[in-house]
Amino acid sequence: MSTVLSSAIVSCCASSAFSAAIPTVFLPWSACFGARTRLRQRRRSIRVEVRCVFGNKCSMGAAGQFDAQTKFNFSTLCEEMKKKVGSAITLILIAVQISYPVPLLNWSTGFISPAAAVLYSPDTKVPRTGELALRRAIPANTSMKAIQESLEDISYLLRIPQRKPYGTMEGDVKKALKVAVDEKESILSSMPTDLREKGSTVYASLIDGKGGLKSLLDSIKEKDPDKVSVSLASTLDTVAELELLQAPGLSFLLPAQYMKYPRLTGRGTIEFIIEKRDGSTFSAPSGGEPTKLATIQVVIDGYSAPLTAGNFAKLVKDGAYSGITLKCTNQAIISDNELGTDGYGVPLEIKPSGQFEPLYRTTLSVQDGELPVLPLSVYGAVAMAHSSASEEYSSPSQFFFYLYDKRNAGLGGLSFDEGQFSVFGYTTIGRDILPQIKTGDLIQSAKLVEGGERLVLPDDK
């Protein structure tokens, strides 16, 4: 896969009094107390967080372990530093993120063998499913977003393993119901005139329907978490349906220089038929017969990545992915058309959370709290690889399914590559198929089954 940018951060809680005890491999300690130095390099990222606590503990963060020699070296270092500065300094926190596949630092020789890594990141609340990420990306009005946030809070409360706070859940639904009733006029008036009749029907379903707010309230009163979960999912689907009616097109103007590219002005759905080529079969869900063919559906999002999604949709319509072989790594399933030039060299396109429009030709820094509307840290995220010529552009045609694994994520639950690629959609059907795909399997066919009317092509195409 293509390269990513990474950074080196050093922060500590210590006096410069012990600077002589630190090996020369460290950055200067004279700028401690909030000092932050960033180094940007390229190629594969190796990152490590080390916590060294005076006493008898030196350990790696949860995502990795040191070897015996490394532990010994850290213990020795801690003891030497303790003698230097006494007990007044109780904690050193060193967070290092280094680019390039080089060995990590060793406090006796200057290097240690590579280890698993953890990423320093803020206390993040990124969506953990494609459905949630897509719902949050819809540019709906503030009333609908207030309803959505109240209901999503229930999803969080349902994950509490102890006694469920049903009283709080009930309060969230009542809050959402009040907003829905009080803001009915603004909710419906924000839709285009030709969609308001349909909007009125969906709105009525949100209030009194089988998958509506009142039905969800009844489920909560029964205090059955399974019923609440099913009812909540149905209600959130209705919320998303209303929000999509409020957003028939892009809510921002594209830069003039990008008007020559294909663009998707909303949502689209791509259906892939994946074929086994090694004689094996896909396991069928619910006890069905194994088969050599499997279906995967991806919802692509033009609201947040109109150029990337538009280019991909055009390639699908042109049949560019039919017969393409897939390559697999432990983190991704990649289309084997790296040298393909069928598509456009679309600029890297990432829309940051809280921003009105995407950024182009630039990555995000999660260490500074920048998070994308469409995060990579979701199993089944779909993104474009980088261009082989420049990281400021996506590949004309090579894409990948990201196999996010939270066990290999950073402290904030973020992928180390977060904010580095143009994510433009998520696998919504067939996520269970993704881990069964092997190198050599191929895309038998790819079709744009929904959203073709939202694909805008330049005049010369």
Side-chain angles (χ1 to χ4, degrees):
M1 200 181 302
S2 303
T3 59
V4 298
L5 297 176
S6 59
S7 56
I9 301 170
V10 173
S11 61
C12 64
C13 297
S15 166
S16 59
F18 60 82
S19 59
I22 306 300
T24 56
V25 76
F26 282 101
L27 295 179
W29 288 91
S30 57
C32 284
F33 287 102
R36 197 172 190 185
T37 303
R38 176 171 300 143
L39 305 176
R40 289 205 176 268
Q41 298 177 329
R42 296 190 174 191
R43 296 297 169 191
R44 296 179 59 189
S45 301
I46 298 177
R47 302 168 169 90
V48 61
E49 181 191 29
V50 178
R51 294 176 184 267
C52 178
V53 182
F54 282 140
N56 57 8
K57 251 179 149 182
C58 290
S59 63
M60 182 77 174
Q65 301 294 328
F66 290 128
D67 57 31
Q69 180 62 41
T70 306
K71 291 181 181 178
F72 171 80
N73 291 332
F74 269 103
S75 297
T76 303
L77 175 63
C78 287
E79 289 303 318
E80 290 176 358
M81 295 173 68
K82 184 175 181 181
K83 292 175 184 177
K84 282 263 185 186
V85 302
S87 59
I89 306 298
T90 60
L91 177 66
I92 299 170
L93 174 61
I94 304 166
V96 184
Q97 297 172 31
I98 303 174
S99 185
Y100 281 91
V102 298
L104 301 181
L105 301 179
N106 179 288
W107 313 117
S108 60
T109 65
F111 295 98
I112 63 173
S113 58
V118 291
L119 175 68
Y120 169 80
S121 58
D123 179 20
T124 57
K125 291 185 178 180
V126 296
R128 291 307 183 200
T129 67
E131 289 81 0
L132 177 53
L134 290 166
R135 187 164 58 242
R136 289 184 179 178
I138 304 171
N141 74 5
T142 55
S143 297
M144 288 306 304
K145 287 303 179 184
I147 294 171
Q148 179 181 318
E149 289 173 7
S150 292
L151 298 179
E152 287 177 355
D153 185 58
I154 298 174
S155 296
Y156 170 76
L157 297 174
L158 282 171
R159 294 199 297 268
I160 297 175
Q162 294 82 16
R163 187 175 179 181
K164 309 295 183 185
Y166 291 106
T168 304
M169 296 182 195
E170 186 174 336
D172 285 332
V173 178
K174 288 180 177 178
K175 177 181 176 181
L177 188 57
K178 185 177 188 307
V179 173
V181 173
D182 292 349
E183 301 298 325
K184 176 181 179 180
E185 183 176 346
S186 70
I187 290 172
L188 295 178
S189 64
S190 63
M191 300 175 188
T193 304
D194 58 331
L195 296 177
R196 287 181 189 172
E197 182 177 353
K198 182 178 180 180
S200 296
T201 301
V202 178
Y203 173 84
S205 177
L206 176 65
I207 302 298
D208 294 307
K210 184 178 180 181
L213 292 167
K214 291 182 179 178
S215 177
L216 175 58
L217 198 57
D218 291 338
S219 298
I220 292 173
K221 289 178 179 178
E222 292 182 31
K223 298 185 177 181
D224 183 331
D226 292 333
K227 287 185 178 180
V228 174
S229 181
V230 171
S231 183
L232 176 63
S234 180
T235 305
L236 284 170
D237 286 344
T238 305
V239 168
E241 189 176 358
L242 268 177
E243 290 179 338
L244 288 171
L245 290 173
Q246 293 177 333
L250 298 185
S251 58
F252 54 87
L253 294 177
L254 288 170
Q257 66 267 36
Y258 298 140
M259 295 300 289
K260 64 180 181 180
Y261 294 101
R263 57 192 180 273
L264 188 67
T265 61
R267 291 278 164 83
T269 302
I270 308 294
E271 183 176 274
F272 295 95
I273 304 298
I274 310 298
E275 180 182 353
K276 279 287 184 185
R277 300 288 285 177
D278 60 358
S280 63
T281 57
F282 290 106
S283 299
S286 304
E289 290 293 326
T291 175
K292 289 186 177 181
L293 301 178
T295 300
I296 293 175
Q297 281 194 357
V298 171
V299 173
I300 57 177
D301 182 46
Y303 294 128
S304 302
L307 301 185
T308 310
N311 179 58
F312 190 78
K314 180 184 182 299
L315 286 169
V316 169
K317 285 194 68 175
D318 291 346
Y321 294 111
S322 296
I324 291 296
T325 303
L326 298 171
K327 299 183 294 185
C328 299
T329 72
N330 62 343
Q331 284 187 297
I333 301 169
I334 312 165
S335 64
D336 193 11
N337 56 344
E338 187 173 6
L339 300 179
T341 57
D342 294 331
Y344 288 73
V346 177
L348 190 69
E349 181 179 43
I350 305 175
K351 185 177 181 182
S353 294
Q355 298 297 314
F356 187 67
E357 59 190 358
L359 297 178
Y360 292 96
R361 300 174 62 183
T362 183
T363 59
L364 302 186
S365 173
V366 297
Q367 291 88 355
D368 291 334
E370 295 178 333
L371 294 173
V373 171
L374 301 179
L376 185 67
S377 305
V378 175
Y379 191 87
V382 184
M384 297 304 294
H386 286 165
S387 166
S388 58
S390 170
E391 289 184 358
E392 293 184 356
Y393 286 82
S394 294
S395 166
S397 59
Q398 188 181 33
F399 76 100
F400 62 93
F401 296 94
Y402 193 68
L403 308 180
Y404 169 74
D405 187 342
K406 64 181 179 181
R407 294 172 298 180
N408 298 327
L411 295 179
L414 294 173
S415 162
F416 294 125
D417 296 326
E418 188 61 82
Q420 307 296 309
F421 292 91
S422 293
V423 178
F424 62 95
Y426 297 94
T427 307
T428 54
I429 295 176
R431 278 189 292 259
D432 59 315
I433 297 299
L434 295 179
Q436 301 181 53
I437 296 175
K438 305 300 180 185
T439 295
D441 294 345
L442 61 78
I443 300 173
Q444 188 187 78
S445 66
K447 297 180 180 179
L448 180 65
V449 294
E450 290 182 16
E453 72 280 6
R454 303 181 186 95
L455 176 60
V456 179
L457 300 177
D459 293 339
D460 60 344
K461 295 292 182 178

